[in-house]
């Protein structure tokens, strides 16, 4: 029944296999070119699973039917295999020369209780390159073993049904996670939490669809109360509300996955490029006393307290007859429009000494930086802007303190930080403010409902929402078209998670209604 | 069509037997075994395609008999009747001839799921079918029992592959040869009848059991996997003994809608239609069922029965303490019997009488014939190709209950398609298939051959994922043109009518599309219409016709010069306008599926050793089912997305290799790049 729904699998799988990040797939292709590269299932693969380079402990993994043989002949465990999934300290020897290569922990994971679902072995050995090379060479000498191709362990796990599509994506992110928060989010997605949320919705929708279908296919002969549809109405409504809430995370999850866009903007010579260099602790951008030094956008990636930040330095905003500089200013404005967070840098020596006048000056200044010219009276959302007053080393200490004190009292301004890129004064406080802003933008990956991490998911959820609206539009006019809406919604969800079973819909019908036996 | 006079039955029988006496040495293109809904459609379709056809039935009087319920169509099933009619089959016109109570089910739920349905006069239905067969050129009917299916020894190069050569009849052992044989044995294949504690061989009460030879040939000689299913029928009630004043009258539609695209009205006049009656079971019914369980051997069997029209025993046992509907349906204009739909039962006859008398309207009812159960063999349909040919036996086609389905309409649809392909095989024409994207018949066959059955299969609208496109109203546009141009099973007359309809609809839709006014002007024409669009928007007649409260007649009266000529198709145009945007949305998906279905998987592929990364479980499923296309593979249970991607790569690659050997492949590099992109590896 409803095979259209699990067409979703096909498409989702296709998408994942096409878009997942990873090494180019040329070796995988060779399987199909007649070259005897591999009947993958029959072969046992092995690889260094921890990072390359010198490290304390390295993990070498093998998966496939010959894993047990490899374990036996490299650890001298001729009689019996170690207990499953238990660490065992052994000397690791070369199967040919019997030379001891290292002493380390070995783990035996018999199928199907392993990552790949196949018999697997792990060797935790010392991380020196010589040891690693020796162990890998030894493994390669065991009959039936070959080095794994890129992504092959995951692919086997996926094929064995050990990982769902969202989990594979999560695992990909986990491996590529560069910051702590990204790692936490990826781990959460991999553990299937996001998948479970979508699964839960899928279950609800399947039930809705089954009830509508039951009403269409059976209500004429059988006793199906009209109340069935009212129940569906309620579920569809609830689900729509849930999806809206989920979509309203303001791209927190995606931001965490791909980095928060932070843009430095402001007038010329305010010290924007100095701020960039200070933050990334290297001279990434050219700094000079000449106004208009920065023309194009300079980007650098940062880790701010565990959150990924993509920092852009932009050209100073001013009217200029110079064609190149005008283009730079246009790009700067465009970037501010797309930014998650804008750091507006102001040379504090330009400020009027009176606090009230300074506030008015800053208001007016922000208005110029702000991309939205149509509404000059906008209140600046505190989580989208930070005012950075630079060059405090140029002010007398007394005036700096006064300015700081006074500006904190003024309402209607974004958070204000006084720093000096020259002396690094106030930098710590600024970083704390920046960190908390970035954190708000990304959300806490470990608390609350799981967040959307991929634009792909967002698009499918939006389709799902629109399809549910179709149900409501046609509910009283044409039930076939209304059911089509629920079906489309289910298909959209199915595209995120993969599979929606087919006969399931009829099974629900028969479980819930007095039809048949 | 409806005004023609039916020849008297006697002449039909004499003609048939006269022909029969000359049969001994004859050879046919196609032999159809069985004269039920599948068999009659198969024989007629094979003859229409151009094959010399022989229909063999145990008893000529029962050709075209309605063995169970006296009705045709319904939700999902009505679509099948319309499609069979669009392909020039018999059952739609027979229904219009024999119908005595017409109604469209689901009238309030949208035209895509309307279920045209009719109560039938058994006598008239049989007469019509027999007369049609009689007047079909190239078709001969023979009374006889088939003892054996004749097949050649398997080809040594292809072990297990047989070729059908004909049949051997019982008593007289005379052989008739043919290139194709269509088996439509219904419940007769190793059938057993159950009534109370007794069990006897047979497929229908009152008819002789068919010989065991056929079942044996299928099982042992051809090595086909055979399963067992069961079904049942209710007792027939003497009409005069029922107090109908205690039941709710259920009137037919005031204007009967014919099934056939060729008919504008039914034989039965609106006022001549007979009503149905609705009544309910009582706690007494449940008590009788429970008390008599030990006397009821059918219900104790493990065999799978139809989940969708269960016996009263299974209903009350599964859902105790509830009222169950019982429909009392007329059996014909002159019949003095009623058919109690919902009371299929297999207990001893005296208990059956006790049971029905627990229902108030039937408290003094008499039983004419008791209900009984049937168990029968079916061939697991995954062993068939989409042409309904047994994959391992060339020229052998199966249709109807033998494939594990239930219902007249399902049988008729398969029969027609098996008949078409049997004829094409015999005439050395390539097989034809219907896609699930274009017809319910395609959905039915695809479900059967690629997924198999675990219980009697019945059609539902929810099985068709593109049901908004596969509507009862447009079956002619979907199938009649193709049936004539590509399949060859449609008469010129019907084809010309379909072409006329198509052209008229196109003209009318073009006229609607050309009618473009501002919202303001539309409001002036139709002040009552609720329009939400902004004032400046231009709306076409097509857009406006989508509104719930706008009919084509309304538009035609406002713009008579361009629309009045098309008023004949008012209802179809309204449906088309509402559904077209949704169908357009589906088009892309349909195209994608068609593309997948065009990627055929070679039938001799060895999945167990295929050099493609597939899990053992997936290999076994593929090896067992042997889907004919990639599209069919995606619909298999237990096939993972990854497996599909790998199969896709394999199909593309092998296709590529084949092409390379035939001619230089200019786009090879391009294809490999595409493969590369598709294969982008999973994360490490």
């Amino acid at each position: 029944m409803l095979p259209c729904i699990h067409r979703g699998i096909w498409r989702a799988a296709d998408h994942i296999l096409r878009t997942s990040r990873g090494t180019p797939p040329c070796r995988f292709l060779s399987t199909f070119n007649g070259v005897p590269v591999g009947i993958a299932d029959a072969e046992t693969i092995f690889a260094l699973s921890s990072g390359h380079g010198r490290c304390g402990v390295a993990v070498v993994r093998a998966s496939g039917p010959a894993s047990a043989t490899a374990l036996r002949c490299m650890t001298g465990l001729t009689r019996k295999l170690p207990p499953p999934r238990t660490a065992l300290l052994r000397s690791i020897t070369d199967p040919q020369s019997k030379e001891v290569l290292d002493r380390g922990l070995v783990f035996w994971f018999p199928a199907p209780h392993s990552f790949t679902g196949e018999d697997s072995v792990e060797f935790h050995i010392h991380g020196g390159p010589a040891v690693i090379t020796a162990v890998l060479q030894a493994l390669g000498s065991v009959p039936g073993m070959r080095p794994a191709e890129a992504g092959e362990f995951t692919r086997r796990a996926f094929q064995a049904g050990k990982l769902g599509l969202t989990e594979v994506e999560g695992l990909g992110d986990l491996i590529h996670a560069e910051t702590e928060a990204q790692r936490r989010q990826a781990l959460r997605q991999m553990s299937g939490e996001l998948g479970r949320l979508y699964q839960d919705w899928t279950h609800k929708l399947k039930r809705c669809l089954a009830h509508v279908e039951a009403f269409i296919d059976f209500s004429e002969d059988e006793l199906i109360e009209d109340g069935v549809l009212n129940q569906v109405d309620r579920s569809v409504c609830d689900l729509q509300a849930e999806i809206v809430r989920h979509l309203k995370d303001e791209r927190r999850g995606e931001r965490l996955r791909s980095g928060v866009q932070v843009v430095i903007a402001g007038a010329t010579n305010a010290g924007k490029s100095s701020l960039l260099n200070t933050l990334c602790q290297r001279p990434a951008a050219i700094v000079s006393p000449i106004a208009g030094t920065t023309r194009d956008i300079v980007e650098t990636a940062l880790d701010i307290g565990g959150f990924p930040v993509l920092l852009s330095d932009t050209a100073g905003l001013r009217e200029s007859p110079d064609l190149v500089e005008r283009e730079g200013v246009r790009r700067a404005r465009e970037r501010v429009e797309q930014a998650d967070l804008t750091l507006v840098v102001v040379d504090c020596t330009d400020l009027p000494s009176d606090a009230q006048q300074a506030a008015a000056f800053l208001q007016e200044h922000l208005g110029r930086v702000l991309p939205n010219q149509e509404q000059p009276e906008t209140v600046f959302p505190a989580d989208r802007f930070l005012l950075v007053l630079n060059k405090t080393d140029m002010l007398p200490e007394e005036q700096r303190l006064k300015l700081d004190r006074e500006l904190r009292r003024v309402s209607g301004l974004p958070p204000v930080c006084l720093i000096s890129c020259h002396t690094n004064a106030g930098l710590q406080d600024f970083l704390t403010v920046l960190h908390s802003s970035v954190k708000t933008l990304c959300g806490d990956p470990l608390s609350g409902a799981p967040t959307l991490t991929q634009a792909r998911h967002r698009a499918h959820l939006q389709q799902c929402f629109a399809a549910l609206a179709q149900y409501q539009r046609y509910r009283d006019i044409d039930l076939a078209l209304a059911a089509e809406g629920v079906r489309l919604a289910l298909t959209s969800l199915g595209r995120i998670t993969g599979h929606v079973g087919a006969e399931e819909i009829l099974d629900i019908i028969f479980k819930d209604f007095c039809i048949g036996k | 069509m409806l005004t023609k006079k039916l020849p008297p039955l006697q002449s039909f029988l004499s003609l048939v037997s006269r022909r029969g006496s000359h049969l001994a040495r004859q050879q046919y293109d196609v032999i159809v075994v069985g004269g039920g809904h599948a068999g009659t459609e198969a024989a007629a379709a094979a003859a229409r395609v151009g094959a010399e056809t022989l229909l063999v039935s145990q008893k000529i009087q029962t050709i075209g008999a309605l063995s169970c319920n006296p009705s045709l169509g319904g939700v999902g099933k009505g679509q099948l009747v319309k499609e069979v009619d669009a392909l020039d089959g018999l059952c739609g016109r027979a229904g219009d001839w024999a119908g005595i109570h017409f109604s469209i089910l689901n009238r309030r739920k949208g035209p895509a799921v309307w279920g045209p349905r009719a109560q039938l006069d058994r006598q008239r239905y049989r007469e019509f079918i027999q007369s049609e067969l009689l007047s079909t050129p190239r078709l001969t009917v023979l009374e006889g029992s088939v003892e054996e299916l004749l097949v050649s020894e398997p080809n040594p190069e292809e072990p297990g592959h047989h070729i059908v050569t004909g049949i051997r009849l019982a008593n007289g052992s005379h052989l008739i040869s043919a290139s194709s044989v269509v088996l439509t044995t219904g419940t007769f294949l190793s059938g057993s009848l159950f009534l109370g504690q007794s069990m006897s061989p047979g497929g229908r009460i009152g008819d002789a059991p068919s010989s065991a030879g056929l079942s044996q040939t299928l099982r042992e000689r051809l090595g086909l996997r055979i399963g067992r299913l069961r079904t049942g029928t209710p007792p027939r009630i003497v009409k005069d003994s029922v107090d109908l004043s205690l039941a709710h009258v259920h009137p037919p539609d005031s204007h009967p809608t014919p099934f056939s695209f060729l008919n504008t009205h039914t034989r039965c006049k609106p006022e001549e239609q007979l009503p149905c009656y609705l009544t309910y079971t009582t706690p007494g019914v449940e008590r009788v069922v429970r008390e008599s369980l030990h006397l009821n051997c059918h219900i104790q069997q493990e065999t799978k029965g139809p989940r969708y029209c269960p016996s009263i025993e299974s209903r009350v046992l599964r859902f105790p303490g509830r009222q169950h509907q019982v429909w009392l349906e007329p059996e014909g204009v002159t019949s003095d019997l009623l058919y109690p739909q919902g009371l299929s039962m297999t207990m001893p006859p005296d208990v059956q009488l006790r049971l029905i008398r627990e229902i108030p309207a039937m408290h003094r009812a008499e039983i004419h014939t008791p209900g009984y159960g049937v168990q029968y063999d079916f061939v697991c349909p995954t062993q068939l190709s989409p042409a309904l040919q047994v994959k391992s036996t060339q020229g052998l086609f199966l249709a109807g209950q033998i494939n594990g389905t239930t219902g007249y309409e399902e049988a008729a649809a398969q029969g027609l398609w098996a008949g078409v392909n049997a004829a094409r095989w015999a005439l050395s024409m390539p097989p034809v298939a219907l896609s699930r994207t274009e017809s319910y018949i395609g959905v039915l066959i695809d479900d059967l051959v690629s997924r198999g059955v675990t219980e009697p299969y019945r059609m539902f609208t929810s099985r068709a994922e593109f049901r908004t496109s596969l509507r009862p109203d447009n079956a002619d546009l979907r199938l009649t043109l193709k049936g004539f141009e590509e399949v060859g099973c449609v008469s010129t007359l019907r084809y010309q009518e379909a072409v006329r309809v198509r052209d008229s609809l196109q003209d009318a839709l073009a006229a609607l599309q050309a009618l473009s006014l501002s919202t303001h002007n539309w409001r002036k024409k139709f002040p009552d219409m609720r329009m939400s669009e902004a004032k400046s928007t231009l709306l076409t007649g097509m857009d406006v016709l989508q509104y719930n409260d706008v009919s084509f007649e309304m538009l035609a009266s406002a713009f008579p010069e361009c629309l009045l000529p098309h008023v004949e198709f008012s209802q179809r145009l309204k449906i088309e306008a509402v559904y077209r945007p949704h169908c357009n949305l589906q088009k892309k998906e349909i195209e994608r599926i068609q593309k997948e279905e065009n990627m055929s998987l070679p039938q001799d592929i060895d999945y167990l050793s295929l050099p493609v990364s597939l899990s053992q479980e997936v290999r076994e499923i593929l090896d067992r089912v042997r889907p004919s296309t990639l599209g069919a593979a995606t619909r298999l249970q237990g096939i993972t997305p990854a497996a599909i991607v790998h199969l896709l790569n394999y199909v593309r690659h092998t296709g590529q290799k084949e092409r390379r050997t035939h001619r230089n492949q200019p786009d090879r590099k391009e294809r490999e790049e595409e493969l590369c992109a598709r294969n982008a590896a999973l994360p490490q």
Side-chain angles (χ1 to χ4, degrees), chain B residues 137-202:
Chain B
R138 292 184 291 274
L139 176 61
T140 312
V141 181
L142 172 71
E143 188 167 277
S145 180
V146 176
E147 177 62 40
E148 196 190 343
L149 182 70
L150 303 175
V151 292
S152 71
E153 283 307 310
N155 180 345
E157 281 173 20
E158 282 182 279
H161 282 65
H162 299 262
I163 300 175
V164 157
T165 57
I167 56 166
R168 187 163 62 81
L169 292 178
N171 46 39
S173 73
H174 98 207
L175 312 179
I176 306 173
S177 57
S179 314
S180 308
V181 173
V182 185
L183 294 183
T184 67
T185 50
T187 56
F188 281 85
L189 199 65
S190 305
S192 329
L193 302 177
F194 290 81
L195 181 58
Q197 287 172 294
S198 70
M199 193 267 272
S200 56

Side-chain angles (χ1 to χ4, degrees), chain B residues 203-254:
Chain B
R204 179 168 53 205
I205 220 157
D207 289 329
S210 65
S211 70
L214 201 53
S215 185
Q216 211 172 352
T217 317
L218 295 180
R219 204 188 285 269
E220 285 160 22
R221 190 82 196 283
L222 304 181
L224 294 177
R225 263 178 296 121
I226 308 272
R228 206 147 169 84
L229 292 172
R230 70 174 175 186
T231 185
T233 194
R236 309 301 194 266
I237 312 290
V238 177
K239 193 175 186 175
D240 290 342
S241 67
V242 179
D243 185 353
L244 290 172
S245 67
L246 294 177
H248 310 279
V249 181
H250 191 81
D253 287 356
S254 50

Side-chain angles (χ1 to χ4, degrees), chain A residues 57-228:
Chain A
V57 176
V59 177
V60 173
R61 209 160 37 156
S63 171
S67 301
T69 320
L71 180 60
R72 279 207 174 91
C73 64
M74 288 176 64
T75 56
L77 291 162
T78 42
R79 290 263 170 76
K80 59 174 191 176
L81 289 162
R85 301 177 298 281
T86 308
L88 191 64
L89 186 64
R90 299 292 296 182
S91 290
I92 294 161
T93 54
D94 186 292
Q96 253 88 47
S97 65
K98 306 292 174 203
E99 178 196 349
V100 175
L101 305 172
D102 193 12
R103 201 168 154 74
L105 292 178
V106 294
F107 291 79
W108 164 235
F109 301 93
H113 303 292
S114 68
F115 175 67
T116 55
E118 304 174 316
D119 283 351
S120 300
V121 182
E122 277 182 21
F123 300 90
H124 294 209
I125 51 176
H126 292 102
V131 177
I132 294 170
T133 311
V135 170
L136 288 177
Q137 269 172 3
L139 275 170
S141 70
V142 176
M145 306 278 284
R146 68 165 169 82
E149 290 166 20
E152 209 174 352
F153 283 98
T154 312
R155 201 178 304 131
R156 288 191 177 193
F158 179 49
Q159 281 162 9
K162 287 273 172 182
L163 294 172
L165 286 177
T166 52
E167 290 166 302
V168 171
E169 286 173 319
L171 181 65
D173 286 349
L174 181 63
I175 291 162
H176 290 89
E178 280 153 15
T179 74
E180 181 62 13
Q182 277 179 323
R183 184 190 63 77
R184 277 190 232 132
Q185 171 167 296
L187 194 62
R188 198 165 168 201
Q189 180 179 354
M190 193 188 68
S191 70
E193 200 161 335
L194 197 60
R196 268 201 298 283
L197 176 74
Y198 296 150
Q199 276 306 331
D200 177 46
W201 290 352
T202 305
H203 280 306
K204 285 182 187 159
L205 270 183
K206 262 193 264 181
R207 200 170 198 82
C208 288
L209 185 56
H211 288 202
V212 179
E213 295 294 2
F215 195 71
I216 288 175
D217 275 336
F218 297 100
S219 66
E220 297 274 346
D221 313 332
E222 309 275 346
L223 292 164
I224 293 180
E225 296 84 13
D226 285 18
V228 163

Side-chain angles (χ1 to χ4, degrees), chain B residues 96-102 119 121 124 239 252-254 256 266-275 330 332-334:
Chain B
D96 292 343
W97 176 265
I100 49 174
H101 170 122
F102 289 85
Q119 295 297 144
D121 181 307
R124 288 183 184 177
K239 193 175 186 175
D253 287 356
S254 50
T266 59
R267 177 191 175 190
C268 187
K269 294 200 179 75
E271 64 278 12
E272 289 169 1
Q273 296 187 91
L274 299 177
V333 202
T334 54

